[in-house]
Amino acid sequence: MATAPQSEPQTHPWSPLQPSDARLRAIARWVTFAIFTLNFVLLAISLGDWRVSIDSGYHISLAEWYAHHGSAWWDHINYAPRGRPNLQGPGLQVAIALLGSLLGGRPGNFILANAMLALAQWTAAIATVWFFTRRLGGDVAAMLAVALVAGAAFASASFYVGIPSGWVFIAIPWTIYFFLIDRPIVTALIVTLGCYTHLGGFAVLPAGVLIAAVLERRWRRLIEVGAISAILTAPYSIHFFANLGWYRGVHAIEAPRFDSMLDLLTLAGAVWMLVCRRNDAFLIAWVFAPIAWLFQDPGRFILQEALAGGAVGSLMLCDAIARFESHRLRVALTLALAAIATLFPLGPPSLGGEISWDLGYRAPRMLNWQRADTLAGVIKDQGLQHRVVSVYENSLGSALAVFARLRIERGHWVEVQPINDPADDLPTESKVYVVPLTHGSRWLDNLESRGLLRDWGGTSDCAVITLTARPDSRAMATLFADTVAENGQWLSKHAIRHDLLRAGLFELPRFDSEAALDRWLAQARIQRFHAGRMEVAALLYSYALERKDPRDAKALRMAALGFGEVASFLSDGDTVGDESARAHRRFCTDMASLAAAARAHPQDPIGSRAVRETAVRLFQDYFHKQFPRAERFAEAKFPVQDSIIPTSI
């Protein structure tokens, strides 16, 4: 029968440290402190320009709503014009709201509050893995665990970007720990906070308690914790189940990111744990509690299981090192492993990204706050806030809402959305569009001079436009066919794969210098513009057909959203769009087929079976059928297979 973690660190027979070796224990503590402090200082330096995830705009915009209105049972920002029930756990958003209000209540204050809470999350993650590994294996094991987690670029970043799920993974071992030391009220409070932070908390935190209860046969405590947690989470649970029809549970597939050393040690450590520590209820429950996340979001599981993985991996290493007879060799191996995990972790090291960011080389950016501020300012200054805003990349739309009171078509967090989105049926000219084209570019100027659209302003890679007088359908058919043919053909021949942060086992990122990354970014800007032109051409064609053929017009609006997402996948800093080499080759083939089909039917491209079928295939192949809305792209004139037209990520 396993025992609960004790109040003092325990030194086990398999630990390379002996109780009398106080000097070596002190060295391990100092190395741990140095690793933590170095990373913490480098991260803290960047608080004013923090690295964020694509989720951050969504969370901060909702946090502002909490700050100004006190509650946010309904999300008025995303899925305009009617919005949706807010089923996101409010914990992080309320925390940002409170801290941002204390800092001044302006958009920049809420952005800073998010950064401060993200740094706190990273600190809590490192402190958690240190605390429990030290209790289980002593100072050397704790040192190795901290080095493994803090040194792995992707795992460490998954906590310092400050997404809600990170807090849930941090809460897992604390929930199990307090359950095993018979603190049911504290356990229930942690479970409740985790559930209010992320929906996943309802699965993984009770799972951790359940596993521990089964292994330790603590049925009464399990019932107590379950009852208290159910009562405390009832307001959220009732709200969620009352709006269950809105919950789709679908999301885009993120690119896999592996920290090779940490991931391999996690797998090996889990096997070692089942063989050598099979009676340790705490450790087993910690490792296996989040297993449900592996099936719902494997990328997130791989990254944030790193806390438990760092613990079992370091304990296994200590067990292996202890088998060497030479004390000096054990010490040398231990310190060498800590150095490798920190500096050369068989993948990108955290220190590399932290140092380069602080030195001013800040790529890739998941969200560019300056760009979002500029675009929101254009919409606000030109009096366009009353319109629904359609942004080519929906996460950027939520970031715009941080700086202005906007209503975004689709919006972020696509797991919750209406069955029939009223935005699909809004007239094309009723919206304001943020498209991936340079404001004032020659191509947009030409369309504006023809009276087809208005370019209100923007940045070097985004423009805010509206459509003007309804154009002639024949002219727009030709424009659409020519634009798709020319730009699709260019993309099929010259588009490069988005693999900014892709890394596999023992694979380093592809960029070994700033010059190489600069070349990639320059190419990415070019290819985004080619996809952006296709988006605008589809919008103009849709506008022209709206009165006489609304079905075709709607299909073209869906296609425009698809081309906008293609631009994002090909060029933006987020990693949702990272594609394998095989998927990219298929994309180029499909794009060439679409270009050829459009060129062959310049008079009526939307009426062409070839154009429709190749467009359907392009979007289905490129987006892996993981997007939230199935549209019958060709239902207006003849049946074609269901098309997954991307509407959000």
Side-chain angles (χ1 to χ4, degrees):
M1 188 73 65
T3 59
Q6 303 297 311
S7 57
E8 294 296 331
Q10 301 296 304
T11 302
H12 298 275
W14 39 264
S15 173
L17 288 179
Q18 300 302 321
S20 60
D21 198 345
R23 181 180 179 186
L24 191 52
R25 292 177 61 187
I27 291 174
R29 287 195 293 268
W30 277 108
V31 171
T32 303
F33 179 77
I35 293 171
F36 169 79
T37 302
L38 178 59
N39 284 275
F40 181 89
V41 170
L42 290 172
L43 290 170
I45 289 172
S46 66
L47 272 174
D49 188 9
W50 192 257
R51 277 160 291 185
V52 298
S53 76
I54 60 171
D55 298 336
S56 298
Y58 167 72
H59 292 303
I60 297 174
S61 62
L62 264 293
E64 287 185 302
W65 189 275
Y66 277 106
H68 296 142
H69 299 87
S71 65
W73 295 102
W74 194 267
D75 180 354
H76 296 271
I77 298 170
N78 301 277
Y79 283 86
R82 297 178 185 173
R84 63 180 173 185
N86 181 16
L87 303 185
Q88 172 69 44
L92 178 62
Q93 296 169 356
V94 170
I96 296 172
L98 292 173
L99 183 55
S101 297
L102 290 175
L103 293 173
R106 300 179 65 83
N109 302 128
F110 292 103
I111 293 173
L112 177 59
N114 177 73
M116 295 170 66
L117 290 169
L119 179 59
Q121 183 181 127
W122 179 87
T123 303
I126 301 301
T128 295
V129 74
W130 171 82
F131 177 81
F132 288 110
T133 310
R134 185 170 182 262
R135 298 181 75 88
L136 294 164
D139 289 311
V140 166
M143 175 189 69
L144 290 175
V146 169
L148 285 169
V149 176
F154 297 136
S156 180
S158 74
F159 290 99
Y160 70 60
V161 295
I163 52 180
S165 64
W167 288 110
V168 174
F169 278 84
I170 292 168
I172 291 171
W174 293 102
T175 303
I176 301 165
Y177 169 74
F178 282 110
F179 178 79
L180 290 175
I181 63 172
D182 279 333
R183 299 291 189 272
I185 295 178
V186 177
T187 304
L189 288 174
I190 297 175
V191 170
T192 300
L193 288 174
C195 293
Y196 275 106
T197 300
H198 194 285
L199 275 172
F202 282 97
V204 299
L205 297 178
V209 174
L210 177 62
I211 294 171
V214 170
L215 294 175
E216 292 286 301
R217 300 183 185 278
R218 301 192 183 189
W219 310 116
R220 180 178 177 180
R221 287 299 188 210
L222 177 63
I223 294 172
E224 291 176 354
V225 170
I228 296 171
S229 302
I231 293 171
L232 294 177
T233 59
Y236 186 13
S237 303
I238 293 171
H239 175 63
F240 176 79
F241 285 109
N243 295 282
L244 188 60
W246 292 75
Y247 188 75
R248 301 287 176 270
V250 296
H251 54 85
I253 298 176
E254 295 192 38
R257 282 156 287 183
F258 297 103
D259 296 294
S260 301
M261 183 178 185
L262 176 57
D263 294 338
L264 291 174
L265 287 173
T266 297
L267 292 173
V271 174
W272 169 87
M273 174 192 67
L274 293 175
V275 174
C276 299
R277 299 291 294 273
R278 57 183 177 272
N279 293 323
D280 194 325
F282 172 80
L283 197 56
I284 292 173
W286 186 9
V287 171
F288 287 102
I291 200 71
W293 223 301
L294 178 61
F295 301 97
Q296 198 273 339
D297 192 344
R300 189 73 53 85
F301 173 85
I302 291 170
L303 295 175
Q304 298 190 319
E305 175 72 348
L307 295 187
V312 296
S314 65
L315 294 174
M316 182 196 65
L317 288 174
C318 286
D319 188 25
I321 292 171
R323 301 178 187 277
F324 292 94
E325 293 184 1
S326 170
H327 178 71
R328 289 186 176 181
L329 179 59
R330 296 202 306 267
V331 172
L333 285 173
T334 303
L335 295 178
L337 284 169
I340 292 171
T342 302
L343 302 174
F344 308 104
L346 304 182
S350 286
L351 289 177
E354 293 163 8
I355 292 172
S356 64
W357 190 272
D358 289 341
L359 291 176
Y361 199 77
R362 298 178 174 178
R365 283 186 182 273
M366 302 298 173
L367 283 178
N368 187 320
W369 293 119
Q370 184 176 0
R371 177 173 67 171
D373 189 9
T374 299
L375 295 170
V378 171
I379 296 172
K380 183 169 56 177
D381 294 343
Q382 299 297 337
L384 301 171
Q385 312 96 298
H386 63 283
R387 298 194 184 196
V388 170
V389 181
S390 179
V391 184
Y392 78 97
E393 199 280 302
N394 299 286
S395 299
L396 176 59
S398 296
L400 266 61
V402 172
F403 299 96
R405 186 66 58 81
L406 302 176
R407 299 174 303 145
I408 309 299
E409 181 183 17
R410 273 69 178 177
H412 196 70
W413 200 42
V414 299
E415 292 179 75
V416 178
Q417 55 185 285
I419 296 175
N420 297 306
D421 190 347
D424 292 346
D425 298 316
L426 289 177
T428 310
E429 75 275 14
S430 68
K431 305 172 188 176
V432 55
Y433 299 92
V434 176
V435 295
L437 292 167
T438 302
H439 160 58
S441 65
R442 182 180 303 175
W443 196 79
L444 283 179
D445 281 347
N446 177 53
L447 296 179
E448 188 168 22
S449 67
R450 295 167 59 183
L452 299 175
L453 55 80
R454 174 78 180 272
D455 180 358
W456 295 92
T459 65
S460 61
D461 59 1
C462 282
V464 177
I465 68 169
T466 56
L467 306 184
T468 53
R470 192 177 305 275
D472 176 70
S473 59
R474 292 183 180 179
M476 293 305 98
T478 301
L479 173 67
F480 176 79
D482 291 346
T483 302
V484 170
E486 178 183 350
N487 293 276
Q489 186 67 22
W490 188 95
L491 287 171
S492 71
K493 292 182 177 179
H494 304 293
I496 60 175
R497 180 166 66 105
H498 188 320
D499 56 354
L500 265 178
L501 292 179
R502 176 177 291 275
L505 294 177
F506 301 105
E507 178 187 357
L508 292 173
R510 60 176 295 198
F511 302 108
D512 55 3
S513 67
E514 291 184 4
L517 182 54
D518 283 337
R519 288 193 295 272
W520 188 95
L521 293 173
Q523 170 72 5
R525 283 173 58 86
I526 295 172
Q527 56 197 36
R528 78 185 270 116
F529 297 150
H530 285 281
R533 293 175 190 135
M534 296 164 77
E535 177 189 3
V536 173
L539 289 173
L540 289 169
Y541 192 14
S542 170
Y543 186 23
L545 293 177
E546 215 157 39
R547 289 181 177 172
K548 68 176 184 179
D549 206 333
R551 286 186 175 182
D552 280 356
K554 182 176 180 178
L556 285 163
R557 288 197 298 272
M558 298 301 103
L561 292 170
F563 292 131
E565 294 288 2
V566 166
S568 174
F569 271 41
L570 287 173
S571 64
D572 285 348
D574 68 84
T575 55
V576 173
D578 283 12
E579 297 286 344
S580 67
R582 180 181 179 183
H584 184 73
R585 288 194 297 270
R586 188 168 59 245
F587 164 78
C588 292
T589 300
D590 290 342
M591 188 61 80
S593 298
L594 177 60
R599 182 176 291 108
H601 300 86
Q603 302 302 318
D604 185 21
I606 192 61
S608 162
R609 178 183 292 271
V611 171
R612 288 172 179 260
E613 289 183 340
T614 52
V616 166
R617 186 169 63 250
L618 169 71
F619 294 134
Q620 286 185 330
D621 288 348
Y622 197 51
F623 299 120
H624 314 292
K625 300 186 180 181
Q626 292 297 314
F627 288 80
R629 295 176 35 96
E631 297 288 346
R632 290 192 177 277
F633 187 70
E635 66 180 356
K637 296 189 176 179
F638 47 80
V640 174
Q641 59 182 322
D642 283 352
S643 168
I644 303 300
I645 301 298
T647 62
S648 179
I649 61 172

